[in-house]
Amino acid sequence: MLADFTRGERTGALVILGTMVVLGLAMAIAGRHDLLGIHGWIVFGISLALTFGAIRQLDLPEPSPERLSEYYDAPTRTGLILTLIWGVVGMGAGFWVAALLAWPEMTFDVSWLSWGRLRPIHTSGVIFGFGGNALIATSLHVLQRTTRARLPDALSPWFVLIGYNLFCIIAASGYLMGLTQSKEYAEPEWYADIWLVVVWVVYFFIYMRTLARRKEPHIYVANWYYMAFILVVAILHIVNNLAVPVSFGSAKSYSLFAGVQDAMTQWWYGHNAVAFFLTAGFLGMMYYYLPKRAGRPIFSYRMSIISFWGITFMYMWAGSHHLHYTALPHWVQTLGMAFSVVLLVPSWASAGNALLTLNGAWHKVRDDAVLRFMALAAIFYGITTFEGSFMAIRAVNSLSHYTDWTVGHVHAGALGWVAMITFGSLYSLVPSMFKRERIYSQKLVEVHFWLALSGTVIYVFAMWNSGVIQGLMWRTYDETGTLSYSFIDSLVAMHPYYIARAFGGLLFLLGALTALFNVIMTIRMPAIGMAPEARGDLPAEPVMQAGE
Amino acid sequence: MRVYTPLEVAGRNIYLREGCYACHSQMIRTLRDEVDRYGPYSLAVESSYDHPQLWGSKRTGPDLARLGNKYSDAWHVTHMNNPRDVVPESVMPAYRWLLRDQLKTEDLGDHLRAMRAVGVPYTDEQIQFAAQDAYGQANPDSPEASGVAERYGEATNIRTFDGRTGPLTDMDALVAYLQMLGTLTDVAHTSETAEVE
């Protein structure tokens, strides 16, 4: 890695790592009577190992100036592998917690194996580990190709990638120890949150600095989506995680907001995490890789811009649909419902735009599992956003809320949309990133596709069934005007669906393992000697560089 | 609304630690079947000291907003230790370590101080005696017990919770927390606006 760094960047890397070693040690000492201390030692250990690694490479010759005539893809390559590793971890944890709901004895009297501690490993593992790494890796690739400019330096993308994964490790290890703020999808404690802000700001500046040096006058729509993702996630993350720590030696903090204000803040965050992390970022991915793979221009570029502003503006207001019939003021619920329903317009505009782009390329969808992943992702995006608007209607929500229907909806989006577009983009990116002629086995991609599709369908159907049954059982009265079913009756009715759901998840996990194997085997294939210009993959005017 | 006792705060933090909120809501909606099943619907004031709120988003298990004093302490201890001993069909994990692990109380004053910083009206005295009050609440015959009633009101549950006197366990704290849920104010029971949809 350090071979790519200039002398100045190597010094910078050592300064950063040295600071982190000191910070880790300070956390370990200040938190010696607390779980914070363990995180201090983790930060200390990782930073120290990286420092030693850096020192060993310190005297490597400086990179040749010719590197500036190529894009800088090393962080993307590492990010793609991290995406798959986190994917397997997160989906593996998901399968396990799904199985625990069918066979609860598998906790084995080990606290960190209990459902409540493993569940955030699943959610953070797939959202932040798998999704986040995929977004960072692809965004750095798309950014350079669409601006025809190399990344501004070598240090900052590595800082973002390693720093972000350190955040993920702190988050996941914290959950096992029971460290959580309890805010869904914002569980990590205050020190991890502060660290993520630092990483995120650097990420945003990579984007800004590269755009400022762009050789392509127009800023392609994919970059708009990626930038909205980075900027809005920063805002959401900072506001929702405002908290007062018990002390600087304690991992525990108390949220600034309480009760109804906190619920509104949390679900403003929660729904916009869906909107800007799991939608905007992945739409950026879709708008680059899908037309590229299909060999077709976007059906309507104008529509992609209009739906961008539609999504950006309207999602911001939709969060209160998570709080129908609660103590949140009625008018706020209504506002959230109204915006959620209108959101269907830009959502379907995006899904329709993707599918219409495939007109003239449907034969490729038939023959190429990679493109089929992306086409299916667009279909699931359309299905899920329709379902989302529907469930946001107050009367529908009275049945669906608190039930497995919500879980099914989330997974239609997460498996069908987010993971499918990621796998499609990843398969189309891996050969060129690693300079291999092709993916190791197209047949295995095909196998993965069918595992992913059948897994998703089984999962979602199981949860639709269980959710609606649950919702109906809870509200059924007999002729004497008393509730017909006890809560436990509804739980017993869920058992077969919980087994089916675990099975669907297992299929999806097997698909992710297939992808990991396929990518590893691709990397082990001999590299092709084709010069980059032969693939039309060169930044413009390469002599202009950082500090120009 | 009374504030949480230090033992209840500790119990609430165990509830967070174990991720209970992922399966149990604490928000009864304004729907007839919910009111019939769980009790009067939740009012905003009832979670106004909750930093953060634990309204939840999923009911794999039932709502807990009005769980307090509905079951005996012994039921809760048995249920936590192995839910299937009292509810054979339950899919809840067995939290056997709660009875084994000793509760950390020495920093409870810092916890109360942090909560005061975000707006919970704890007095200096409550902060000063936090660790002592935690002990007293689960040891009704100890000299520390009287201070709990004095500082948090006569209605506060002062019991052995885990069935044993002496050093506190995580179970003491969690049961104290669960037995308090929905009992901090009776406004939901007396309110005129009991209309449901």
Side-chain angles (χ1 to χ4, degrees):
Chain A
M1 177 200 308
L2 237 58
D4 301 337
F5 286 20
T6 62
R7 183 99 0 233
E9 286 172 338
R10 287 177 199 186
T11 315
L14 279 183
V15 170
I16 293 168
L17 287 171
T19 314
M20 283 173 61
V21 169
V22 173
L23 276 176
L25 199 61
M27 274 168 72
I29 293 168
R32 63 194 176 283
H33 300 306
D34 193 87
L35 293 172
L36 179 73
I38 296 174
H39 271 160
W41 289 119
I42 290 176
V43 173
F44 176 77
I46 291 175
S47 315
L48 201 64
L50 288 170
T51 309
F52 280 127
I55 289 173
R56 280 176 56 187
Q57 296 184 16
L58 207 56
D59 291 327
L60 289 176
E62 286 223 40
S64 78
E66 280 163 32
R67 76 183 190 285
L68 301 179
S69 65
E70 285 178 22
Y71 294 121
Y72 189 45
D73 291 330
T76 299
R77 282 193 284 274
T78 308
L80 290 174
I81 295 166
L82 286 168
T83 300
L84 284 170
I85 292 172
W86 276 110
V88 169
V89 170
M91 292 169 200
F95 166 66
W96 188 255
V97 293
L100 275 178
L101 284 180
W103 302 286
E105 292 300 345
M106 293 197 300
T107 306
F108 306 121
D109 197 17
V110 178
S111 61
W112 53 269
L113 275 181
S114 63
W115 200 93
R117 297 203 194 180
L118 288 179
R119 189 254 184 178
I121 299 220
H122 163 57
T123 53
S124 289
V126 292
I127 299 171
F128 300 116
F130 173 73
N133 274 303
L135 288 169
I136 292 173
T138 58
S139 68
L140 296 180
H141 174 256
V142 170
L143 172 65
Q144 296 183 85
R145 294 329 186 265
T146 52
T147 58
R148 298 211 294 147
R150 185 184 157 95
L151 292 179
D153 66 301
L155 176 58
S156 55
W158 282 111
F159 174 77
V160 169
L161 191 67
I162 295 172
Y164 182 75
N165 281 280
L166 179 65
F167 165 79
C168 293
I169 289 170
I170 293 286
S173 57
Y175 304 152
L176 292 180
M177 299 189 285
L179 291 179
T180 168
Q181 294 191 106
S182 85
K183 293 190 155 206
E184 283 185 86
Y185 324 116
E187 290 94 345
E189 273 292 355
W190 60 277
Y191 48 96
D193 293 334
I194 293 173
W195 174 245
L196 185 62
V197 172
V198 175
V199 169
W200 217 249
V201 168
V202 176
Y203 186 20
F204 187 68
F205 276 106
I206 293 178
Y207 236 92
M208 283 300 153
R209 285 155 69 207
T210 310
L211 279 175
R213 294 163 50 257
R214 72 187 186 277
K215 307 301 182 304
E216 187 66 46
H218 181 76
I219 299 175
Y220 183 63
V221 66
N223 290 316
W224 295 44
Y225 281 102
Y226 278 123
M227 274 193 293
F229 144 65
I230 300 170
L231 185 67
V232 178
V233 166
I235 298 168
L236 300 167
H237 173 74
I238 291 170
V239 175
N240 191 41
N241 285 303
L242 290 172
V244 173
V246 168
S247 73
F248 286 112
S250 170
K252 171 76 187 161
S253 67
Y254 287 92
S255 163
L256 182 63
F257 309 107
V260 70
Q261 288 84 1
D262 183 59
M264 187 60 248
T265 311
Q266 158 59 23
W267 289 110
W268 167 76
Y269 166 91
H271 201 74
N272 283 302
V274 175
F276 289 90
F277 208 101
L278 297 175
T279 302
F282 290 90
L283 281 172
M285 212 183 268
M286 183 192 83
Y287 275 120
Y288 182 80
Y289 294 102
L290 183 137
K292 194 93 169 133
R293 186 78 182 185
R296 308 272 311 164
I298 294 179
F299 168 74
S300 165
Y301 194 77
R302 179 172 298 186
M303 194 151 87
S304 74
I305 302 286
I306 294 171
S307 41
F308 170 82
W309 288 111
I311 283 171
T312 311
F313 175 67
M314 279 184 279
Y315 257 117
M316 274 290 158
W317 303 84
S320 56
H321 70 224
H322 288 254
L323 301 168
H324 282 323
Y325 300 100
T326 67
L328 185 78
H330 201 264
W331 69 268
V332 188
Q333 301 174 21
T334 309
L335 187 74
M337 169 168 75
F339 273 99
S340 306
V341 171
V342 183
L343 254 175
L344 186 61
V345 176
S347 300
W348 271 27
S350 304
N353 212 355
L355 292 173
L356 289 167
T357 300
L358 292 171
N359 270 349
W362 287 104
H363 61 290
K364 291 185 188 169
V365 176
R366 183 194 60 207
D367 297 336
D368 176 12
V370 176
L371 186 59
R372 210 180 312 130
F373 260 116
M374 297 195 243
L376 195 71
I379 293 170
F380 266 105
Y381 179 63
I383 295 172
T384 311
T385 48
F386 174 78
E387 190 189 25
S389 294
F390 182 61
M391 290 168 80
I393 297 168
R394 197 186 272 112
V396 180
N397 198 268
S398 75
L399 181 81
S400 74
H401 193 53
Y402 293 135
T403 73
D404 287 322
W405 187 354
T406 310
V407 182
H409 167 64
V410 168
H411 283 81
L415 304 177
W417 156 240
V418 172
M420 299 261 189
I421 194 71
T422 301
F423 285 128
S425 306
L426 194 131
Y427 280 127
S428 67
L429 195 50
V430 161
S432 72
M433 280 293 97
F434 290 93
K435 305 209 166 42
R436 301 296 186 271
E437 203 185 342
R438 55 178 175 82
I439 200 85
Y440 167 71
S441 165
Q442 187 67 26
K443 218 169 219 129
L444 279 179
V445 179
E446 195 73 41
V447 170
H448 180 190
F449 175 83
W450 290 107
L451 280 172
L453 176 58
S454 51
T456 306
V457 170
I458 292 171
Y459 189 111
V460 172
F461 270 86
M463 292 292 93
W464 275 340
N465 276 295
S466 67
V468 173
I469 292 172
Q470 242 172 348
L472 290 175
M473 286 178 85
W474 292 345
R475 60 160 61 170
T476 302
Y477 284 86
D478 62 20
E479 57 284 355
T480 64
T482 47
L483 290 163
S484 296
Y485 301 100
S486 69
F487 189 89
I488 204 72
D489 290 336
S490 72
L491 182 73
V492 170
M494 295 307 104
H495 188 66
Y497 302 108
Y498 284 172
I499 293 173
R501 180 254 295 268
F503 179 67
L506 179 64
L507 294 183
F508 206 88
L509 172 65
L510 289 175
L513 283 164
T514 311
L516 182 61
F517 172 77
N518 210 353
V519 167
I520 291 171
M521 295 308 283
T522 306
I523 297 169
R524 291 182 60 176
M525 282 166 32
I528 42 166
M530 201 196 291
E533 48 264 65
R535 282 174 281 129
D537 198 26
L538 260 184
E541 299 170 56
V543 277
M544 303 283 279
Q545 264 311 314
E548 63 200 282
Chain B
M1 270 292 284
R2 81 153 164 86
V3 294
Y4 294 130
T5 66
L7 189 64
E8 289 157 7
V9 168
R12 189 173 190 275
N13 288 338
I14 292 165
Y15 185 96
L16 264 66
R17 181 185 82 194
E18 303 300 350
C20 306
Y21 58 86
C23 289
H24 295 282
S25 58
Q26 290 186 25
M27 173 48 63
I28 302 166
R29 296 182 292 171
T30 55
L31 298 167
R32 184 181 153 209
D33 59 289
E34 300 222 345
V35 170
D36 284 347
R37 190 180 295 278
Y38 300 115
Y41 58 76
S42 300
L43 301 177
V45 65
E46 294 178 281
S47 51
S48 55
Y49 294 149
D50 280 6
H51 295 266
Q53 44 71 36
L54 295 172
W55 290 11
S57 61
K58 178 70 173 58
R59 284 180 187 152
T60 303
D63 188 275
L64 302 182
R66 310 220 175 275
L67 182 68
N69 293 333
K70 223 179 216 177
Y71 301 85
S72 69
D73 292 344
W75 185 92
H76 278 295
V77 173
T78 312
H79 183 245
M80 285 295 158
N81 206 47
N82 182 22
R84 280 156 293 285
D85 285 349
V86 279
V87 185
E89 307 89 345
S90 171
V91 298
M92 192 171 111
Y95 293 96
R96 297 199 178 91
W97 53 90
L98 294 177
L99 267 177
R100 288 199 298 263
D101 294 349
Q102 203 153 338
L103 184 73
K104 189 178 163 187
T105 55
E106 63 272 14
D107 63 348
L108 278 172
D110 293 337
H111 283 258
L112 264 49
R113 196 172 295 115
M115 289 173 78
R116 182 159 75 175
V118 292
V120 183
Y122 281 109
T123 63
D124 290 339
E125 205 190 347
Q126 285 170 328
I127 291 172
Q128 190 192 335
F129 292 102
Q132 192 182 316
D133 285 347
Y135 182 84
Q137 194 180 350
N139 286 284
D141 297 328
S142 68
E144 288 88 349
S146 59
V148 181
E150 203 177 293
R151 278 181 281 276
Y152 295 93
E154 291 297 333
T156 310
N157 294 323
I158 300 174
R159 302 197 291 255
T160 54
F161 297 114
D162 72 353
R164 298 179 301 197
T165 53
L168 302 180
T169 61
D170 283 0
M171 185 70 86
D172 276 316
L174 186 61
V175 174
Y177 172 67
L178 296 174
Q179 292 289 39
M180 167 281 308
L181 287 175
T183 65
L184 295 184
T185 168
D186 58 0
V187 66
H189 296 269
T190 55
S191 168
E192 294 290 307
T193 56
E195 191 185 314
V196 290
E197 288 172 62

